[in-house]
Amino acid sequence: METNELDFTQIVREYKSTIYTVCYMFSKDEDEVNDLFQEVLINLWKGIGKFRNECSMNTFIYRISLNTCISVDRKNKRTKQKERLSMNANLFCDEDNDAKQIRQLYDRIHRLAPVDRAIVLLWLDNVSYEEIGQIIGISTKNVSVKLVRIKEQLKKM
Amino acid sequence: MKPNIHTEEHQIEEMRQQIALLKAKLEKETIVTDKMIRSTIKQKMEKINGNTIFSYIACLFVITFGSAVLYEISQSRIFIIVTIIYMLTCATATFLIHRNVRKDDVNGDLFTVAQKMKKVKKQYHDWIYFALPTVILWFGWLCWLIYQRDPESTDYYMIIGLVVGGVTGGFFGQKMNKRVINTCDEIIHQIEE
């Protein structure tokens, strides 16, 4: 798929909340979210040409975002980047009721292992088991088994 | 057992609502795309400046190789001198217009870049009003020179060839001009947005 800058900007605008949600759940602070956000956008820009409509754009965005967040070497990336793309929201510091609710979700999810975090994030966003499997690279059956285990873990929190 | 299931369902439902809340909150936010905008503008400037190399090569080609061919068919020194002056004018104008298309400027104030691009756009727009009539005059003069050389046995095929070449060249030139104007517009629009 040929993607120019305008198309890319449009895609980023459309899926920014998905990308940022994933980055947020895999970060420790605001700087790290912005680093990851930028890293995901770079990988998305590099990978968008390979998108072949075999899966939905949402699945593709999730795959790139989660793969980036799981694999990124945060310490190295942070020292390299001086200028970042970021969102105006500061989910770690905002004090309104919504932010508190979001932080409660963050506290729950962040305690899980990275892959489990990815699975639960997708599941909470109503992504089907089949798609979760495609994104994470595991079988549908494995997704359901993992989800049972994750739910158990969440229950204990 | 039942209260546990309810608690679990409640917890999951609560998390679903929280994720929806998070997404809704982020949906309202704008991305600070400063770096991306600057990088895109630089790419567009490269595209605009890519045309200049083509223009310089075309001018150089006409002055060197073209002059000899044109002298052969027109047999007029004045025509060749005027052609060379015309080509040098075109090359100078291209150089002067493109002085405002500098990638280094993009690292600074984008408002200044937008102002410069507006200037470039206007100059490109105005240039067509000079270039089109002068090219038509130049072609007319060349055809007249060919005809005048030997009115009895004028090579009309050559004139037709020249006219076809001229119209094709004019078409592509105009397209190139329009493309630069559009790219300038995109840069201005992107900055203002």
PDB file of all heavy atoms in Angstrom, chain A residues 14-32:
ATOM      1  N   GLU A  14      -6.562   9.058  13.354  1.00  0.00           N
ATOM      2  CA  GLU A  14      -7.683   8.152  13.583  1.00  0.00           C
ATOM      3  C   GLU A  14      -7.395   7.148  14.707  1.00  0.00           C
ATOM      4  O   GLU A  14      -8.280   6.796  15.468  1.00  0.00           O
ATOM      5  CB  GLU A  14      -7.979   7.402  12.275  1.00  0.00           C
ATOM      6  CG  GLU A  14      -9.385   6.874  12.210  1.00  0.00           C
ATOM      7  CD  GLU A  14      -9.693   6.269  10.856  1.00  0.00           C
ATOM      8  OE1 GLU A  14      -9.268   6.841   9.826  1.00  0.00           O
ATOM      9  OE2 GLU A  14     -10.336   5.229  10.837  1.00  0.00           O
ATOM     10  N   TYR A  15      -6.121   6.709  14.770  1.00  0.00           N
ATOM     11  CA  TYR A  15      -5.798   5.650  15.728  1.00  0.00           C
ATOM     12  C   TYR A  15      -4.929   6.117  16.888  1.00  0.00           C
ATOM     13  O   TYR A  15      -4.363   5.309  17.600  1.00  0.00           O
ATOM     14  CB  TYR A  15      -5.111   4.486  14.996  1.00  0.00           C
ATOM     15  CG  TYR A  15      -6.044   3.778  14.044  1.00  0.00           C
ATOM     16  CD1 TYR A  15      -6.084   4.116  12.697  1.00  0.00           C
ATOM     17  CD2 TYR A  15      -6.925   2.807  14.501  1.00  0.00           C
ATOM     18  CE1 TYR A  15      -6.965   3.493  11.824  1.00  0.00           C
ATOM     19  CE2 TYR A  15      -7.794   2.174  13.641  1.00  0.00           C
ATOM     20  CZ  TYR A  15      -7.816   2.509  12.301  1.00  0.00           C
ATOM     21  OH  TYR A  15      -8.686   1.897  11.442  1.00  0.00           O
ATOM     22  N   LYS A  16      -4.833   7.428  17.053  1.00  0.00           N
ATOM     23  CA  LYS A  16      -3.929   7.955  18.092  1.00  0.00           C
ATOM     24  C   LYS A  16      -4.299   7.450  19.485  1.00  0.00           C
ATOM     25  O   LYS A  16      -3.409   7.149  20.296  1.00  0.00           O
ATOM     26  CB  LYS A  16      -3.918   9.488  18.070  1.00  0.00           C
ATOM     27  CG  LYS A  16      -5.254  10.114  18.416  1.00  0.00           C
ATOM     28  CD  LYS A  16      -5.239  11.612  18.351  1.00  0.00           C
ATOM     29  CE  LYS A  16      -6.625  12.100  18.753  1.00  0.00           C
ATOM     30  NZ  LYS A  16      -6.802  13.517  18.574  1.00  0.00           N
ATOM     31  N   SER A  17      -5.598   7.315  19.761  1.00  0.00           N
ATOM     32  CA  SER A  17      -5.996   6.891  21.105  1.00  0.00           C
ATOM     33  C   SER A  17      -5.596   5.424  21.343  1.00  0.00           C
ATOM     34  O   SER A  17      -5.175   5.068  22.439  1.00  0.00           O
ATOM     35  CB  SER A  17      -7.490   7.091  21.343  1.00  0.00           C
ATOM     36  OG  SER A  17      -8.226   6.455  20.360  1.00  0.00           O
ATOM     37  N   THR A  18      -5.698   4.601  20.308  1.00  0.00           N
ATOM     38  CA  THR A  18      -5.281   3.192  20.436  1.00  0.00           C
ATOM     39  C   THR A  18      -3.778   3.132  20.697  1.00  0.00           C
ATOM     40  O   THR A  18      -3.323   2.450  21.626  1.00  0.00           O
ATOM     41  CB  THR A  18      -5.619   2.429  19.135  1.00  0.00           C
ATOM     42  OG1 THR A  18      -7.016   2.492  18.945  1.00  0.00           O
ATOM     43  CG2 THR A  18      -5.163   0.984  19.201  1.00  0.00           C
ATOM     44  N   ILE A  19      -3.028   3.859  19.875  1.00  0.00           N
ATOM     45  CA  ILE A  19      -1.564   3.835  20.011  1.00  0.00           C
ATOM     46  C   ILE A  19      -1.159   4.356  21.391  1.00  0.00           C
ATOM     47  O   ILE A  19      -0.340   3.745  22.083  1.00  0.00           O
ATOM     48  CB  ILE A  19      -0.892   4.685  18.899  1.00  0.00           C
ATOM     49  CG1 ILE A  19      -1.266   4.167  17.516  1.00  0.00           C
ATOM     50  CG2 ILE A  19       0.623   4.711  19.079  1.00  0.00           C
ATOM     51  CD1 ILE A  19      -0.874   5.081  16.361  1.00  0.00           C
ATOM     52  N   TYR A  20      -1.765   5.471  21.763  1.00  0.00           N
ATOM     53  CA  TYR A  20      -1.359   6.094  23.027  1.00  0.00           C
ATOM     54  C   TYR A  20      -1.766   5.223  24.226  1.00  0.00           C
ATOM     55  O   TYR A  20      -1.042   5.139  25.211  1.00  0.00           O
ATOM     56  CB  TYR A  20      -1.974   7.490  23.136  1.00  0.00           C
ATOM     57  CG  TYR A  20      -1.181   8.397  24.054  1.00  0.00           C
ATOM     58  CD1 TYR A  20      -0.073   9.097  23.581  1.00  0.00           C
ATOM     59  CD2 TYR A  20      -1.525   8.547  25.386  1.00  0.00           C
ATOM     60  CE1 TYR A  20       0.669   9.915  24.415  1.00  0.00           C
ATOM     61  CE2 TYR A  20      -0.795   9.369  26.232  1.00  0.00           C
ATOM     62  CZ  TYR A  20       0.301  10.056  25.734  1.00  0.00           C
ATOM     63  OH  TYR A  20       1.026  10.860  26.563  1.00  0.00           O
ATOM     64  N   THR A  21      -2.913   4.575  24.123  1.00  0.00           N
ATOM     65  CA  THR A  21      -3.359   3.691  25.210  1.00  0.00           C
ATOM     66  C   THR A  21      -2.331   2.579  25.432  1.00  0.00           C
ATOM     67  O   THR A  21      -1.946   2.293  26.561  1.00  0.00           O
ATOM     68  CB  THR A  21      -4.733   3.067  24.867  1.00  0.00           C
ATOM     69  OG1 THR A  21      -5.666   4.125  24.698  1.00  0.00           O
ATOM     70  CG2 THR A  21      -5.229   2.141  25.957  1.00  0.00           C
ATOM     71  N   VAL A  22      -1.887   1.975  24.337  1.00  0.00           N
ATOM     72  CA  VAL A  22      -0.894   0.900  24.446  1.00  0.00           C
ATOM     73  C   VAL A  22       0.391   1.457  25.071  1.00  0.00           C
ATOM     74  O   VAL A  22       0.942   0.870  26.012  1.00  0.00           O
ATOM     75  CB  VAL A  22      -0.607   0.272  23.048  1.00  0.00           C
ATOM     76  CG1 VAL A  22       0.530  -0.729  23.133  1.00  0.00           C
ATOM     77  CG2 VAL A  22      -1.853  -0.396  22.497  1.00  0.00           C
ATOM     78  N   CYS A  23       0.840   2.599  24.557  1.00  0.00           N
ATOM     79  CA  CYS A  23       2.086   3.201  25.076  1.00  0.00           C
ATOM     80  C   CYS A  23       1.950   3.520  26.568  1.00  0.00           C
ATOM     81  O   CYS A  23       2.878   3.287  27.347  1.00  0.00           O
ATOM     82  CB  CYS A  23       2.435   4.472  24.307  1.00  0.00           C
ATOM     83  SG  CYS A  23       2.793   4.184  22.585  1.00  0.00           S
ATOM     84  N   TYR A  24       0.799   4.032  26.923  1.00  0.00           N
ATOM     85  CA  TYR A  24       0.558   4.405  28.327  1.00  0.00           C
ATOM     86  C   TYR A  24       0.663   3.182  29.238  1.00  0.00           C
ATOM     87  O   TYR A  24       1.274   3.228  30.305  1.00  0.00           O
ATOM     88  CB  TYR A  24      -0.821   5.054  28.421  1.00  0.00           C
ATOM     89  CG  TYR A  24      -1.298   5.377  29.816  1.00  0.00           C
ATOM     90  CD1 TYR A  24      -0.607   6.293  30.615  1.00  0.00           C
ATOM     91  CD2 TYR A  24      -2.445   4.785  30.340  1.00  0.00           C
ATOM     92  CE1 TYR A  24      -1.046   6.602  31.893  1.00  0.00           C
ATOM     93  CE2 TYR A  24      -2.897   5.088  31.608  1.00  0.00           C
ATOM     94  CZ  TYR A  24      -2.199   5.981  32.381  1.00  0.00           C
ATOM     95  OH  TYR A  24      -2.634   6.283  33.650  1.00  0.00           O
ATOM     96  N   MET A  25       0.071   2.084  28.794  1.00  0.00           N
ATOM     97  CA  MET A  25       0.065   0.878  29.620  1.00  0.00           C
ATOM     98  C   MET A  25       1.448   0.222  29.725  1.00  0.00           C
ATOM     99  O   MET A  25       1.665  -0.633  30.563  1.00  0.00           O
ATOM    100  CB  MET A  25      -0.935  -0.145  29.059  1.00  0.00           C
ATOM    101  CG  MET A  25      -2.371   0.278  29.229  1.00  0.00           C
ATOM    102  SD  MET A  25      -2.778   0.585  30.962  1.00  0.00           S
ATOM    103  CE  MET A  25      -4.341   1.423  30.782  1.00  0.00           C
ATOM    104  N   PHE A  26       2.345   0.611  28.860  1.00  0.00           N
ATOM    105  CA  PHE A  26       3.683   0.021  28.891  1.00  0.00           C
ATOM    106  C   PHE A  26       4.744   1.005  29.395  1.00  0.00           C
ATOM    107  O   PHE A  26       5.931   0.755  29.251  1.00  0.00           O
ATOM    108  CB  PHE A  26       4.070  -0.490  27.495  1.00  0.00           C
ATOM    109  CG  PHE A  26       3.452  -1.819  27.168  1.00  0.00           C
ATOM    110  CD1 PHE A  26       2.150  -1.907  26.698  1.00  0.00           C
ATOM    111  CD2 PHE A  26       4.158  -2.995  27.374  1.00  0.00           C
ATOM    112  CE1 PHE A  26       1.563  -3.119  26.422  1.00  0.00           C
ATOM    113  CE2 PHE A  26       3.580  -4.223  27.093  1.00  0.00           C
ATOM    114  CZ  PHE A  26       2.283  -4.289  26.624  1.00  0.00           C
ATOM    115  N   SER A  27       4.304   2.101  29.975  1.00  0.00           N
ATOM    116  CA  SER A  27       5.274   3.111  30.412  1.00  0.00           C
ATOM    117  C   SER A  27       5.219   3.351  31.904  1.00  0.00           C
ATOM    118  O   SER A  27       4.210   3.060  32.542  1.00  0.00           O
ATOM    119  CB  SER A  27       4.998   4.423  29.699  1.00  0.00           C
ATOM    120  OG  SER A  27       4.917   4.222  28.336  1.00  0.00           O
ATOM    121  N   LYS A  28       6.311   3.928  32.379  1.00  0.00           N
ATOM    122  CA  LYS A  28       6.352   4.232  33.808  1.00  0.00           C
ATOM    123  C   LYS A  28       6.035   5.703  34.072  1.00  0.00           C
ATOM    124  O   LYS A  28       5.608   6.066  35.140  1.00  0.00           O
ATOM    125  CB  LYS A  28       7.747   3.903  34.363  1.00  0.00           C
ATOM    126  CG  LYS A  28       7.999   2.410  34.495  1.00  0.00           C
ATOM    127  CD  LYS A  28       9.218   2.111  35.341  1.00  0.00           C
ATOM    128  CE  LYS A  28      10.513   2.431  34.637  1.00  0.00           C
ATOM    129  NZ  LYS A  28      10.861   1.512  33.520  1.00  0.00           N
ATOM    130  N   ASP A  29       6.325   6.551  33.110  1.00  0.00           N
ATOM    131  CA  ASP A  29       6.054   7.977  33.301  1.00  0.00           C
ATOM    132  C   ASP A  29       5.735   8.657  31.960  1.00  0.00           C
ATOM    133  O   ASP A  29       5.770   8.014  30.911  1.00  0.00           O
ATOM    134  CB  ASP A  29       7.235   8.678  33.992  1.00  0.00           C
ATOM    135  CG  ASP A  29       8.546   8.464  33.256  1.00  0.00           C
ATOM    136  OD1 ASP A  29       8.521   8.458  32.009  1.00  0.00           O
ATOM    137  OD2 ASP A  29       9.584   8.295  33.927  1.00  0.00           O
ATOM    138  N   GLU A  30       5.469   9.936  32.045  1.00  0.00           N
ATOM    139  CA  GLU A  30       5.050  10.703  30.881  1.00  0.00           C
ATOM    140  C   GLU A  30       6.115  10.708  29.766  1.00  0.00           C
ATOM    141  O   GLU A  30       5.792  10.569  28.590  1.00  0.00           O
ATOM    142  CB  GLU A  30       4.740  12.144  31.326  1.00  0.00           C
ATOM    143  CG  GLU A  30       3.922  12.957  30.348  1.00  0.00           C
ATOM    144  CD  GLU A  30       2.570  12.350  30.013  1.00  0.00           C
ATOM    145  OE1 GLU A  30       2.006  11.599  30.839  1.00  0.00           O
ATOM    146  OE2 GLU A  30       2.075  12.606  28.905  1.00  0.00           O
ATOM    147  N   ASP A  31       7.373  10.863  30.176  1.00  0.00           N
ATOM    148  CA  ASP A  31       8.450  10.883  29.177  1.00  0.00           C
ATOM    149  C   ASP A  31       8.510   9.575  28.409  1.00  0.00           C
ATOM    150  O   ASP A  31       8.700   9.556  27.189  1.00  0.00           O
ATOM    151  CB  ASP A  31       9.807  11.107  29.860  1.00  0.00           C
ATOM    152  CG  ASP A  31       9.988  12.560  30.269  1.00  0.00           C
ATOM    153  OD1 ASP A  31       9.216  13.404  29.763  1.00  0.00           O
ATOM    154  OD2 ASP A  31      10.871  12.840  31.098  1.00  0.00           O
ATOM    155  N   GLU A  32       8.343   8.495  29.156  1.00  0.00           N
ATOM    156  CA  GLU A  32       8.417   7.182  28.530  1.00  0.00           C
ATOM    157  C   GLU A  32       7.247   6.964  27.558  1.00  0.00           C
ATOM    158  O   GLU A  32       7.426   6.363  26.499  1.00  0.00           O
ATOM    159  CB  GLU A  32       8.407   6.100  29.612  1.00  0.00           C
ATOM    160  CG  GLU A  32       9.078   4.832  29.134  1.00  0.00           C
ATOM    161  CD  GLU A  32       9.362   3.882  30.287  1.00  0.00           C
ATOM    162  OE1 GLU A  32      10.323   4.114  31.020  1.00  0.00           O
ATOM    163  OE2 GLU A  32       8.594   2.939  30.451  1.00  0.00           O
TER     164      GLU A  32
END
